Amino acid sequence: MSAKDKAKAKAEQVKGRLKETTGKATGNLGKEAEGRAEKAKGDVREAADKGRDALKRKRGR
């Protein structure tokens, strides 16, 4: 995982957590759901990048 990809995934996760927390605090269910979705998107991006890195390491043997 390149540093740029890792930073992008982490930024999405943090942004999603922030939106989710803000939605909970204000009672805005739409914002809360949007935050959960954005966090999940960051989680998926991170998992995909980790899988890609694992394949590269395995091929390199």
Side-chain angles (χ1 to χ4, degrees):
M1 175 189 294
S2 74
K4 183 179 178 183
D5 292 338
K6 186 174 182 178
K8 189 171 184 177
K10 288 293 180 188
E12 276 182 333
Q13 290 170 339
V14 169
K15 189 176 174 185
R17 274 191 219 112
L18 182 62
K19 281 184 183 180
E20 184 179 2
T21 302
T22 303
K24 282 182 183 179
T26 60
N28 185 337
L29 296 178
K31 184 67 79 175
E32 187 178 344
E34 186 180 325
R36 276 196 305 267
E38 194 161 342
K39 183 180 173 291
K41 184 178 171 184
D43 291 343
V44 169
R45 183 185 307 274
E46 184 177 40
D49 288 337
K50 283 183 179 181
R52 196 174 309 123
D53 286 347
L55 284 174
K56 285 180 184 178
R57 283 191 304 271
K58 187 170 183 159
R59 287 183 196 160
R61 286 187 179 182

